[in-house]
Amino acid sequence: MEIKKGIAVSPGISIAKSMVIDSEDYRIPYRAIEPSQRTSEIRRVKKAFSDAIEELNQLEESYDNKGSQIKDIFAVHNRFLHDRSLQKKISDMIRSELVIAEYAISNTFREIASHFANEKDAYISERAADIFDIARRVLKHLLGKKREEIGNITEEVTIVARELSPIQTAGFDKKFVKGIASDVGGRTSHAAIVARSLGIPAVVALEDLTSVVNEGDTVIVDGNRGIVIVNPDENTIAEYNEYKDEFTELGYKLNTLKEKPAITRDGTKVTLLGNIEFPNETQTVLEKGGDGIGLYRTEFLYLNTTTEPTEEDHYNAYSQTVKAMKSKPVVIRTLDLGADKYTQSKRFVREPNPFLGLRSIRFCLQNLMMFKTQLRAILRASVLGNVKIMFPLITNQQELMQAKMILHDVMEDLSDEKIEYNQKIPVGIMIETPSAALTAFSLAKEVSFFSIGTNDLTQYTLAVDRGNELVSTLYSTADPAVLRLIRTVIQDAHKAQIDLSICGEVASEPEYIMLLLGMGVRTFSLASPMIPEIKQIIRSVTITDCNKVARKVLSMNSERHITSYIRNAARKIIPEAF
Ligand code: PEP
Ligand code: MG
């Protein structure tokens, strides 16, 4: 039995056999072959290389914006895929070690990548990432079918991985994927956010978990305490089964709050909205008693396809959600691509600092066709219900004006084409950069609402990567610098009399609720499985107490003191939440 401690990112307990996968869902099996199979395995290698070359050529043709950096990347990939000595090395391994093609390819590429990674010259050492990319490209053609099997898991498993992308996580079937455990990641990394939305217990930042777990080991994921136990003994399993039942019982109790309002003991009404990534999550928002959708992360529509979604693809997704929510609000956020949410083609553009690079609204403003396609679809869906548009990662007034101007152009086009849309559709922005927070007073004049994205606001204020476990102890929204920015935004929104909500992960963290209520937040948007718990907290507190907590916290200078103070304050009132 081995116990590992990581960061709890999605609550709940699971006990299941492990399935170990790599970052592209590949399980690289080691299998010995008979000498008579050598020729057919070598033929499989050749075929995989030629399929990969064909795929690369098609991708290169479809990529319309070929800057010199992209050309370089295509050139590197092409050179490797055409390198006969590389294919010979792989074939030699199959011949001499009698192993299957997948294993020989994976091993050979790994060996080359490690040579590159050890080079002192930064340009050469950075090519190691390209080598892994090329290996994945080739393996994809060999393992295509096995890869699909991961999407079609038919028995209960715990997924164990070094790192998971948001799109991998989104593809998991909750019926069979009972728990998630990864070596890397942070509480607000997008894979963690998706796990929380799906309600799958998850623990990240377990460092070397993948090196101690073998496929088929029994693994307990304790998403409440951030613990993972590999091959637990019988007593531990019994103890955890009991704990799991208690947790399920608590969930049933909380669900009875569905029809009750989110109102404090002294009568202040609070609105609880859901964050979603896919239209089918709308159902969970309604089941959990959400008052609407406060953040629709539309980029997920983009991530798992190699082709650009059409206007109809966008429209179908939005109309389905809007219709299901009837008259309840649906805030559709325009594409927030980039950083850890990249498109298939954007994978080729390796940015040195992707979180500071061409992401989000910046990416949209440089890809107008794509942006306008989405805006048309949102506007068309706006007549079906209560739709609002939200622009992400605004950093200055000019960017906002540009985005609004494009929206206006699209509206004119629709009017010319006599297509119906809501001409008064509310337009808002996310406040998730310090520059937007510090100029909130002027941005407020241009929009109908703000939504504070604390995940990015914390990352950019403290200069701490939200997904990097090496600096995860430095990442805290309770830092006085972040809280001061949040306070400024709330005050400026109130002064300008525009709506304000908070949609970062702190909206689902029990210890933050009293503080945020005391700071003046009345609308929270969060992972829908957490709505009942947060509602119970709201129903247990008074605004008078919350105001006291906020006043005290805003006079404090240390993140550590603030964190322990808000936890204690919340624990006193609602001990069962901790
Ligand atoms: C945020 O940054 O707080 C946010 C809600 O957006 P995302 O997590 O999608 O970046
Ligand atoms: Mg964000």
Side-chain angles (χ1 to χ4, degrees):
M1 173 161 113
E2 181 140 7
I3 302 176
K4 310 275 301 171
K5 180 91 186 84
I7 302 173
V9 295
S10 180
I13 311 290
S14 73
I15 308 173
K17 298 261 182 241
S18 70
M19 177 185 270
V20 185
I21 63 175
D22 87 352
S23 61
E24 285 278 331
D25 287 350
Y26 297 130
R27 298 152 84 186
I28 309 294
Y30 171 86
R31 246 195 353 258
I33 54 166
E34 294 295 326
S36 60
Q37 292 173 293
R38 284 189 284 217
T39 319
S40 62
E41 283 306 292
I42 291 169
R43 215 177 294 131
R44 287 181 70 224
V45 172
K46 287 202 174 118
K47 170 98 174 57
F49 268 77
S50 70
D51 287 349
I53 290 169
E54 196 182 316
E55 186 197 27
L56 191 73
N57 289 342
Q58 276 173 8
L59 201 65
E60 196 171 10
E61 264 169 40
S62 71
Y63 205 77
D64 53 3
N65 176 19
K66 281 197 222 83
S68 66
Q69 201 190 1
I70 300 163
K71 275 192 193 140
D72 274 1
I73 293 164
F74 278 116
V76 171
H77 282 230
N78 256 314
R79 203 162 53 241
F80 272 96
L81 289 172
H82 284 97
D83 184 345
R84 288 194 175 273
S85 65
L86 172 64
Q87 287 194 40
K88 181 168 179 309
K89 211 167 171 346
I90 296 168
S91 305
D92 286 349
M93 184 173 181
I94 293 175
R95 273 192 207 98
S96 60
E97 298 187 27
L98 293 175
V99 288
I100 53 167
E102 289 85 336
Y103 188 78
I105 291 174
S106 173
N107 252 33
T108 310
F109 272 101
R110 207 173 283 273
E111 203 180 292
I112 300 172
S114 78
H115 282 312
F116 273 73
N118 290 333
E119 284 289 335
K120 286 214 175 65
D121 180 323
Y123 178 80
I124 299 180
S125 66
E126 278 166 16
R127 298 281 73 77
D130 286 318
I131 312 284
F132 280 120
D133 247 9
I134 302 164
R136 277 190 212 114
R137 184 168 298 289
V138 177
L139 284 167
K140 187 170 85 181
H141 293 281
L142 275 179
L143 287 162
K145 237 173 127 222
K146 286 202 195 79
R147 187 173 188 228
E148 273 167 34
E149 281 169 16
I150 287 164
N152 293 319
I153 300 167
T154 50
E155 53 182 7
E156 296 192 351
V157 293
T158 297
I159 295 288
V160 174
R162 165 128 194 91
E163 182 174 17
L164 285 167
S165 72
I167 200 66
Q168 273 179 308
T169 316
F172 292 149
D173 182 345
K174 204 184 142 182
K175 209 159 121 212
F176 299 112
V177 175
K178 293 291 154 192
I180 297 174
S182 70
D183 291 351
V184 305
R187 188 174 158 77
T188 63
S189 53
H190 283 100
I193 289 172
V194 175
R196 204 148 45 240
S197 281
L198 293 173
I200 302 177
V203 178
V204 302
L206 291 149
E207 294 178 353
D208 61 348
L209 180 76
T210 46
S211 62
V212 299
V213 178
N214 288 312
E215 180 100 0
D217 283 350
T218 299
V219 174
I220 295 178
V221 176
D222 178 346
N224 298 344
R225 290 176 257 194
I227 291 171
V228 165
I229 306 173
V230 184
N231 289 327
D233 56 30
E234 275 179 21
N235 285 345
T236 312
I237 293 185
E239 194 186 305
Y240 263 96
N241 269 326
E242 215 171 287
Y243 184 27
K244 194 170 151 206
D245 291 346
E246 276 169 28
F247 190 75
T248 313
E249 187 66 23
L250 179 69
Y252 287 137
K253 260 196 223 150
L254 287 173
N255 277 347
T256 59
L257 291 176
K258 185 184 163 191
E259 306 299 338
K260 302 216 167 108
I263 192 162
T264 61
R265 276 173 40 226
D266 49 357
T268 296
K269 168 89 184 82
V270 176
T271 304
L272 292 180
L273 307 168
N275 290 350
I276 65 164
E277 285 75 35
F278 293 101
N280 59 9
E281 287 176 77
T282 313
Q283 205 44 42
T284 326
V285 177
L286 292 169
E287 274 165 24
K288 298 289 173 184
D291 299 313
I293 289 165
L295 169 63
Y296 185 168
R297 291 185 166 100
T298 57
E299 50 282 358
F300 281 82
L301 200 67
Y302 244 84
L303 299 182
N304 57 354
T305 109
T306 44
T307 52
E308 190 91 3
T310 62
E311 183 180 321
E312 285 318 296
D313 293 334
H314 281 283
Y315 178 75
N316 290 338
Y318 309 148
S319 57
Q320 193 185 328
T321 307
V322 175
K323 279 186 204 155
M325 295 308 287
K326 303 213 168 86
S327 59
K328 292 188 161 119
V330 177
V331 180
I332 304 182
R333 177 174 76 179
T334 59
L335 294 162
D336 187 31
L337 292 166
D340 63 341
K341 291 179 287 186
Y342 42 71
T343 59
Q344 297 293 327
S345 54
K346 208 168 181 293
R347 293 169 59 111
F348 279 92
V349 193
R350 289 209 177 278
E351 294 179 278
N353 290 301
F355 276 100
L356 300 181
L358 189 60
R359 72 169 284 211
S360 203
I361 195 73
R362 304 168 183 177
F363 186 66
C364 289
L365 293 175
Q366 286 196 27
N367 289 276
L368 288 186
M369 286 277 281
M370 177 197 81
F371 192 29
K372 285 186 168 182
T373 302
Q374 179 180 37
L375 291 174
R376 274 179 74 94
I378 300 175
L379 286 170
R380 282 174 53 204
S382 68
V383 292
L384 304 171
N386 182 358
V387 177
K388 304 179 191 192
I389 291 186
M390 177 158 76
F391 298 126
L393 206 80
I394 292 292
T395 49
N396 59 47
Q397 181 109 5
Q398 191 188 332
E399 224 163 32
L400 170 60
M401 299 320 276
Q402 249 178 300
K404 279 178 67 174
M405 203 173 70
I406 290 155
L407 176 65
H408 196 251
D409 285 351
V410 176
M411 285 178 160
E412 278 186 348
D413 290 347
L414 289 178
S415 298
D416 290 347
E417 293 167 49
K418 311 246 171 320
I419 295 175
E420 272 200 318
Y421 63 93
N422 174 9
Q423 299 187 4
K424 299 217 166 79
I425 187 165
V427 176
I429 56 171
M430 291 196 65
I431 301 285
E432 44 187 351
T433 60
S435 61
L438 292 166
T439 53
F441 63 95
S442 71
L443 295 171
K445 295 184 190 127
E446 300 297 333
V447 292
S448 325
F449 64 92
F450 284 161
S451 190
I452 307 180
T454 49
N455 304 338
D456 276 317
L457 185 61
T458 305
Q459 151 168 273
Y460 292 126
T461 305
L462 303 177
V464 177
D465 181 340
R466 59 193 269 187
N468 182 345
E469 71 290 353
L470 300 176
V471 286
S472 63
T473 51
L474 301 173
Y475 182 96
S476 170
T477 303
D479 190 284
V482 184
L483 293 179
R484 279 191 185 125
L485 287 178
I486 295 176
R487 180 181 56 178
T488 304
V489 177
I490 297 169
Q491 286 174 342
D492 287 342
H494 288 170
K495 265 187 227 150
Q497 297 184 333
I498 62 168
D499 288 343
L500 173 117
S501 66
I502 196 144
C503 66
E505 296 316 296
V506 290
S508 63
E509 288 185 40
E511 58 263 53
Y512 278 90
I513 304 305
M514 290 183 83
L515 170 63
L516 293 170
L517 285 170
M519 287 170 80
V521 177
R522 296 293 178 264
T523 304
F524 294 76
S525 190
L526 55 143
S528 45
M530 301 295 294
I531 290 177
E533 185 174 348
I534 298 304
K535 189 187 273 187
Q536 193 208 15
I537 293 173
I538 291 165
R539 291 173 57 85
S540 312
V541 302
T542 63
I543 286 293
T544 314
D545 285 338
C546 295
N547 289 345
K548 274 190 213 149
V549 169
R551 261 200 307 277
K552 173 79 182 156
V553 164
L554 289 166
S555 73
M556 294 163 82
N557 298 318
S558 141
E559 182 276 325
R560 227 180 302 147
H561 292 158
I562 295 174
T563 301
S564 93
Y565 176 81
I566 56 176
R567 194 163 290 159
N568 285 337
R571 197 178 277 145
K572 261 189 223 152
I573 292 179
I574 13 135
E576 64 277 18
F578 296 91

